[in-house]
Amino acid sequence: MIKIFKQLGRHWAACIAVVALLFVQAYCDLSLPDYTSKIVDIGIQQGGIESPVPETVRDTTLQALELLMSEQDAALAEQWYSAPDADGVRTLSHDATAAMSELENAFATPDIVLYMAAAKNAATAAGTADAVTPTAYDLDAVATQFVAMSQAPGAREMLQSQLAAALASLDDSVAGSLSSQAMLLVALEYEAQGIAHDVQMGYLLRTGGRMLALTLLMVAVAIAVGFIASRVSAAIGRDLRRDVFRTVVGYSNAEIEKFSTASLITRTTNDIQQVQFVCVILLRMVAYAPILGIGGILHVAGGNTGLTWIIFVAVAALLLLIAVLMNVAMPKFKQMQTLVDRLNLVSREILTGIMPIRAFSREAFEEKRFDRANTDLMRTQLFTNRTMVAMMPFMTLIMNGTSLLIVWFGGKAMDMGTMQVGEMIAFITYTMQIVMSFLMLSMVAVMLPRAGVAADRIDEVVTTHATIHDPASPKSLPENGTEGVVAFNDVSFRYPGSEEDALEHISFTARPGETTAIIGSTGCGKSTLLNLIPRFYDATAGSVTIGGVDVRELTQAQLHDCLGYVPQKGVLFSGTIDSNLKFGGDHITDADVQKAAEIAQAAEFISAKAEGFASPIAQGGSNVSGGQKQRLSIARAIAKHPQIYLFDDSFSALDYKTDVALRRALKAETGSATVIIVAQRISTVLHANQIIVLDEGRIVGKGTHAQLMESCPEYREIARSQLSQKELNLQKEDA
């Protein structure tokens, strides 16, 4: 996981911007339940009335309310209300916001008393002892009575003492239920003025407008977060692919064999996709879940619902469920990437070896082998997917159980008058947000182990340094005419992990203008010897020099610029014939390509194609024959005009006639260059200036064909196995 966060740290500015936007999104998300509660409790139940202080009030009603206030409170009310207009209505000053708290305290009890008096008047008029909802007529009648009472001396003091005694006798639960009647008095007053509907609709529109604005802001922020997170994850994927590719391109054969091609492909594709996907999740969900969850807990804890314990029970159940699932699923996620590697390896082997498989009728066997690898991966994926699927019913059970507890205990609280419907709705919403936050974290917690394994595998590739690298202080090749001299000085080589040397004490010199051939039985180390020159491997002991300079003291670019290498197996790249022949560098001209094709005996089959040098080459050169592929590989090396030619058994796919013609044309072209040929056929090396005979990694013969026929039994054995006695006699006469 640290490696994933390290990748995110490279884009710290974007991550900070995402976190800041997530705080804005969380603020919007957490504000919406409050507005929902206000719409239900205030907008619907209270008619849009937020305060016991009416915005407009008739003069008679205000006088009745002032009679129920202390003299100080009555003076405060008179201070902030305007004089009556033509309809006898007084308006609260816009500057009263600063004194609103004092005004609410002053109006609360008088509002309750006046409303209860109006309700009693309505019940008396109806001739019933049951509670009756008062009307504007009842309010006017009671207000008129109170205004008349205000004319009597000592009326205010008498009412104040009666109110104090009555309020002292009420317990807290009854007082809480009476507090809502203060808003009912204001609603009744607005009804008497004929503005009740307008007040309610105005409040609903204002609150709904704020909710809509917050929702639109939240949507915009969510889109911005998704956009930034996607760009960051895409950039991380791009950077990882670039880093992995640059690292792998610099690997020697030892590192390639250590990881295997199939594993490197998996790490470059599947593993990076896992990390890229998790980076998006981390930015969009993991960063958002704690903000939303903590914000929800703070909102719930700030209320007086008394139901906070339900959240702690739900969170504890979620944490227990997550812990169990993590312990069950974690080991399987660690196995999954290894199984993907195995499936890719089997698939690659089958697809690249389809012709031998058919030739040996092994289709059924290979299908079973693929099926085993595929089934192992399927079973692991099924287990992890079933684990994640099993999590959802338990999560749903916890969420629904939490909602049931809230409704049960919230209903009791509403019955007692300590909670309103809107408050319970908001509490349920906040609880679901908290639970969903933990749900998001649990889902990510299941994904993270696999991404962590993928990140470790990618990091293993990137941090594995190539054993072959450029020197700190490189030297340059001399320009005194010796830059083409290749010398092996007591060279020994052992493959990594091997217990025996593949080459032992190899010493010889290949000079410009000469052809040095290396021949020997299969597996004797011919290709290994040739691979030490371009530093595909480095010598274990001794040194390989070019122009007297150890190849390990040259930069790889400088070393490879002077070499023309033709591998044992011709390798072509998708493109055209022309692009493949110009693979050696931008300095190669069309004339160079034409001449190289003629020397490599490839011009005839190229010209036979409708598009000539512009003819397409499929991936791996699958649309040309083995001989054509080999000739194009030879032409590619010739077009580069190197100082040293390296042919690793490059003529084996050619017929004898083409082989002879090619070597004759090549000798004329490479008169001043050093040519080193690895060959299996005697006919290829007969006219070489120097023939090196290898046997089990040691030089057992060195000289021309004639000299070796006299002095080297191993060479004679090879020659006699390939040439008839008549051909040998002819060769002897030519010598």
Side-chain angles (χ1 to χ4, degrees):
M1 282 307 301
I2 295 176
K3 297 177 179 66
I4 295 177
F5 285 111
K6 182 180 177 181
Q7 294 298 326
L8 288 171
R10 295 182 179 180
H11 305 271
W12 59 269
C15 293
I16 291 174
V18 166
V19 173
L21 289 171
L22 288 176
F23 271 102
V24 176
Q25 183 179 352
Y27 170 80
C28 297
D29 212 349
L30 292 169
S31 297
L32 290 176
D34 283 337
Y35 282 104
T36 303
S37 175
K38 289 178 180 179
I39 285 180
V40 175
D41 293 340
I42 298 175
I44 298 175
Q45 291 186 332
Q46 296 178 187
I49 299 168
E50 302 178 76
S51 171
V53 182
E55 294 290 332
T56 60
V57 61
R58 293 173 300 168
D59 189 47
T60 53
T61 305
L62 182 58
Q63 289 182 35
L65 292 170
E66 289 176 351
L67 180 63
L68 299 170
M69 299 178 188
S70 65
E71 291 184 2
Q72 184 179 358
D73 290 342
L76 182 67
E78 284 293 331
Q79 176 186 349
W80 292 108
Y81 276 97
S82 65
D85 60 11
D87 296 324
V89 177
R90 305 178 68 173
T91 304
L92 184 67
S93 173
H94 295 295
D95 300 329
T97 306
M100 187 57 68
S101 178
E102 298 178 24
L103 286 171
E104 288 178 348
N105 291 332
F107 273 86
T109 301
D111 284 348
I112 295 171
V113 173
L114 194 58
Y115 181 82
M116 292 176 66
K120 185 177 180 181
N121 186 76
T124 302
T128 179
D130 297 331
V132 177
T133 302
T135 63
Y137 173 80
D138 298 314
L139 176 60
D140 290 340
V142 172
T144 303
Q145 293 175 6
F146 274 92
V147 171
M149 287 176 58
S150 65
Q151 304 300 320
R156 184 189 300 274
E157 291 76 9
M158 179 187 67
L159 288 174
Q160 290 293 322
S161 62
Q162 291 177 352
L163 285 175
L167 292 174
S169 64
L170 298 176
D171 57 27
D172 293 338
S173 61
V174 176
S177 63
L178 290 176
S179 61
S180 62
Q181 295 184 0
M183 307 300 178
L184 295 177
L185 185 279
V186 179
L188 195 58
E189 172 62 20
Y190 286 161
E191 184 180 344
Q193 296 178 38
I195 61 171
H197 180 266
D198 295 335
V199 170
Q200 184 178 34
M201 291 305 299
Y203 179 84
L204 291 174
L205 290 174
R206 286 195 308 273
T207 307
R210 293 191 187 110
M211 290 184 70
L212 179 61
L214 285 173
T215 302
L216 294 176
L217 177 61
M218 186 169 64
V219 170
V221 169
I223 292 173
V225 168
F227 177 77
I228 297 174
S230 298
R231 284 185 63 88
V232 168
S233 65
I236 288 173
R238 176 202 63 202
D239 294 342
L240 286 176
R241 283 189 291 270
R242 180 181 58 205
D243 293 344
V244 170
F245 186 76
R246 284 179 177 175
T247 303
V248 172
V249 166
Y251 277 171
S252 66
N253 289 0
E255 285 78 39
I256 296 293
E257 292 167 1
K258 171 187 174 183
F259 289 104
S260 83
T261 304
S263 179
L264 288 172
I265 292 173
T266 304
R267 295 173 197 236
T268 309
T269 53
N270 184 272
D271 289 354
I272 291 179
Q273 287 175 355
Q274 290 291 329
V275 173
Q276 188 173 336
F277 174 71
V278 165
C279 285
V280 175
I281 299 299
L282 285 173
L283 290 175
R284 297 189 64 179
M285 293 177 62
V286 176
Y288 186 58
I291 298 173
L292 186 64
I294 294 172
I297 291 173
L298 292 176
H299 272 75
V300 170
N304 297 317
T305 59
L307 304 179
T308 310
W309 63 272
I310 297 176
I311 292 179
F312 290 106
V313 171
V315 170
L318 284 171
L319 292 177
L320 179 61
L321 176 62
I322 292 170
V324 172
L325 291 176
M326 287 294 291
N327 288 329
V328 171
M330 181 80 76
K332 294 296 182 180
F333 276 111
K334 292 182 178 179
Q335 295 176 8
M336 194 175 297
Q337 294 307 107
T338 304
L339 293 174
V340 172
D341 272 356
R342 175 65 183 167
L343 182 64
N344 284 343
L345 174 64
V346 173
S347 302
R348 188 172 181 272
E349 285 182 345
I350 293 174
L351 292 176
T352 54
I354 192 67
M355 294 178 68
I357 290 171
R358 290 175 179 170
F360 286 89
S361 300
R362 299 291 286 175
E363 291 94 339
F365 174 80
E366 293 299 333
E367 286 175 6
K368 291 178 181 178
R369 189 162 74 103
F370 177 84
D371 189 58
R372 282 196 299 271
N374 194 26
T375 302
D376 290 341
L377 178 60
M378 178 201 70
R379 287 173 179 168
T380 305
Q381 289 177 333
L382 277 177
F383 181 86
T384 54
N385 289 339
R386 285 168 179 166
T387 302
M388 294 183 67
V389 169
M391 180 175 61
M392 295 308 298
F394 288 106
M395 289 290 183
T396 304
L397 178 63
I398 293 172
M399 292 172 63
N400 291 338
T402 303
S403 299
L404 182 62
L405 288 174
I406 293 172
V407 172
W408 178 266
F409 290 99
K412 290 185 176 182
M414 285 190 294
D415 185 56
M416 296 171 61
T418 58
M419 177 183 281
Q420 292 183 318
V421 176
E423 288 180 320
M424 190 179 75
I425 293 174
F427 190 86
I428 292 176
T429 305
Y430 284 128
T431 304
M432 291 303 103
Q433 287 176 337
I434 296 169
V435 172
M436 287 301 297
S437 298
F438 280 91
L439 175 60
M440 286 189 286
L441 290 175
S442 65
M443 293 176 64
V444 173
V446 175
M447 300 176 189
L448 285 181
R450 185 178 182 186
V453 172
D456 289 338
R457 284 158 52 87
I458 296 167
D459 188 69
E460 185 183 4
V461 174
V462 175
T463 56
T464 298
H465 299 292
T467 54
I468 295 176
H469 50 78
D470 291 341
S473 301
K475 295 182 179 180
S476 298
L477 288 173
E479 297 182 1
N480 54 7
T482 64
E483 60 270 22
V485 177
V486 179
F488 279 68
N489 305 305
D490 195 27
V491 171
S492 295
F493 173 73
R494 178 178 299 182
Y495 283 102
S498 176
E499 297 180 356
E500 298 181 355
D501 288 339
L503 297 173
E504 295 183 28
H505 306 292
I506 304 296
S507 296
F508 70 90
T509 301
R511 294 180 173 82
E514 296 182 357
T515 297
T516 299
I518 303 170
I519 195 170
S521 59
T522 302
C524 67
K526 302 186 297 297
S527 296
T528 301
L529 186 150
L530 197 70
N531 287 339
L532 296 179
I533 301 173
R535 294 191 69 195
F536 295 157
Y537 294 99
D538 273 342
T540 307
S543 64
V544 180
T545 63
I546 294 179
V549 180
D550 194 321
V551 293
R552 290 170 290 195
E553 296 178 341
L554 298 170
T555 64
Q556 294 181 71
Q558 184 181 12
L559 172 64
H560 297 154
D561 281 344
C562 69
L563 301 177
Y565 175 71
V566 183
Q568 186 173 6
K569 180 182 178 181
V571 177
L572 299 180
F573 301 93
S574 58
T576 63
I577 293 177
D578 185 71
S579 67
N580 273 274
L581 297 190
K582 291 181 178 178
F583 195 73
D586 296 334
H587 65 281
I588 300 174
T589 64
D590 292 340
D592 293 332
V593 168
Q594 180 70 37
K595 185 176 180 181
E598 292 173 356
I599 294 171
Q601 308 303 303
E604 183 178 352
F605 81 81
I606 293 174
S607 60
K609 294 180 177 291
E611 300 178 55
F613 284 90
S615 300
I617 294 294
Q619 181 181 4
S622 58
N623 61 337
V624 293
S625 68
Q628 291 173 343
K629 187 188 300 184
Q630 198 69 277
R631 279 179 279 172
L632 290 175
S633 297
I634 295 171
R636 179 173 59 196
I638 296 172
K640 187 180 177 182
H641 299 298
Q643 297 169 314
I644 302 168
Y645 286 89
L646 305 176
F647 296 98
D648 187 2
D649 199 13
S650 308
F651 307 101
S652 58
L654 307 180
D655 61 87
Y656 284 99
K657 178 182 177 182
T658 304
D659 184 7
V660 172
L662 191 155
R663 284 189 289 106
R664 185 180 296 117
L666 184 63
K667 185 174 181 61
E669 171 66 18
T670 62
S672 60
T674 303
V675 180
I676 301 177
I677 299 175
V678 169
Q680 297 278 3
R681 296 197 307 226
I682 286 289
S683 59
T684 304
V685 303
L686 279 175
H687 301 287
N689 303 96
Q690 178 181 220
I691 301 174
I692 308 295
V693 183
L694 290 182
D695 184 38
E696 295 185 356
R698 300 182 183 88
I699 294 180
V700 295
K702 184 190 305 183
T704 62
H705 169 71
Q707 293 170 342
L708 291 172
M709 287 296 295
E710 296 292 335
S711 62
C712 183
E714 289 83 1
Y715 185 79
R716 279 200 305 271
E717 183 179 350
I718 296 172
R720 288 169 179 170
S721 67
Q722 296 183 18
L723 301 175
S724 65
Q725 187 62 43
K726 181 179 180 181
E727 290 172 319
L728 289 173
N729 292 334
L730 289 174
Q731 296 296 337
K732 186 175 181 180
E733 292 174 2
D734 291 342

